[in-house]
Amino acid sequence: MNQPGILELVSFGPDGWGKALLAGAWMTILIALAGYSIGAVIGSFGAWAKISGSRGVKMAADTYTTVLRGIPDLLVIYLFYFGGSALVTAVGQIFGAGGFIGFPGFLAGSLAVGVTSGAQFTEIFRGAFKAVHPGEIEAAVACGMGRALRFRRITAPLTLRHALPGLGNVWQVVLKESALVSITGVAELLRQTQVAAGSTGLPFDFYAIAGAIYLIISTGSGLFLRRAEKQLSRGVRRG
């Protein structure tokens, strides 16, 4: 029996796995986007906490970044998935539901990826804020800008400009971390690849195909982020 070729394996016909792999790739992108967005929000608050001047708030932010950057991302996903399931099951029993209630894998994975990436966002935003030259803020104050207007027109755009290279790196990390969410049963790219490999007995072929798909997503999004960085850096002199 002849082994099917790559084109046959990724075809959209009845014997091909193209549709399943495409759906898995889309789910991977959704998980990455959700986790990235959650992480950006958490990182914004974390960075604010670190530069707020409040000792207690800063200690809480330092503890968060130290813990999350010091434990494996896979462990965080397990904690969210099984911890969330235990919590949902307990709440369900209070309202009369019987048996185990599983926490949605997509939600658990997105939250876990968001919380882990939030630690990286925190340091990136903090560093980017510190990189804003004090003279630019002083000039805005001298022009009579209020705090809200100053933040909207000066601080936020300059902070984003300094942060963008780091944000691009975090996106690449989040995209790869999304593969870990397969342990929750979510039909993302790696999970679909595992099913296809097991069904056909061609693990190397399908994992190579999955690697190529990840590379395409990573390269395409990287080009977009570099273009955005270039656009935001117009008129900025490089040292």
Side-chain angles (χ1 to χ4, degrees):
M1 184 176 180
N2 294 329
Q3 181 174 315
I6 294 294
L7 293 179
E8 187 178 348
L9 292 176
V10 299
S11 69
F12 290 85
D15 298 324
W17 290 85
K19 186 175 181 180
L21 293 175
L22 185 62
W26 177 241
M27 181 59 69
T28 289
I29 294 173
L30 289 179
I31 293 172
L33 286 173
Y36 191 82
S37 301
I38 293 170
V41 173
I42 294 174
S44 299
F45 283 104
W48 167 81
K50 289 204 170 192
I51 62 178
S52 65
S54 170
R55 186 175 180 181
V57 173
K58 183 179 183 300
M59 286 182 61
D62 286 338
T63 301
Y64 161 69
T65 54
T66 300
V67 171
L68 268 298
R69 295 170 72 184
I71 61 177
D73 298 339
L74 183 60
L75 177 58
V76 178
I77 295 175
Y78 275 129
L79 290 173
F80 270 90
Y81 182 62
F82 292 111
S85 297
L87 178 61
V88 172
T89 299
V91 172
Q93 290 175 349
I94 293 175
F95 290 96
F100 176 79
I101 303 176
F103 195 66
F106 178 88
L107 181 57
S110 298
L111 288 172
V113 171
V115 169
T116 54
S117 64
Q120 301 175 60
F121 274 109
T122 296
E123 297 301 335
I124 289 171
F125 286 143
R126 182 190 64 80
F129 178 81
K130 293 291 186 181
V132 177
H133 197 283
E136 296 177 280
I137 306 299
E138 293 168 2
V141 173
C143 290
M145 288 188 182
R147 177 173 296 181
L149 181 61
R150 191 164 67 243
F151 176 80
R152 181 170 61 86
R153 299 189 63 178
I154 305 296
T155 309
L158 290 176
T159 299
L160 178 61
R161 179 181 291 175
H162 290 299
L164 199 55
L167 299 184
N169 292 334
V170 174
W171 167 254
Q172 301 295 345
V173 172
V174 166
L175 190 61
K176 288 185 286 186
E177 283 181 351
S178 66
L180 299 175
V181 182
S182 62
I183 63 168
T184 67
V186 176
E188 47 73 66
L189 179 56
L190 185 59
R191 181 65 176 174
Q192 295 285 35
T193 302
Q194 291 169 337
V195 173
S199 299
T200 61
L202 299 170
F204 178 82
D205 301 71
F206 277 102
Y207 286 120
I209 292 169
I213 295 174
Y214 276 114
L215 186 60
I216 290 171
I217 298 172
S218 175
T219 303
S221 55
L223 289 173
F224 171 79
L225 289 169
R226 282 193 291 273
R227 173 171 255 182
E229 180 185 351
K230 186 176 180 181
Q231 188 73 19
L232 283 174
S233 298
R234 277 184 171 181
V236 177
R237 292 183 61 185
R238 299 293 183 183

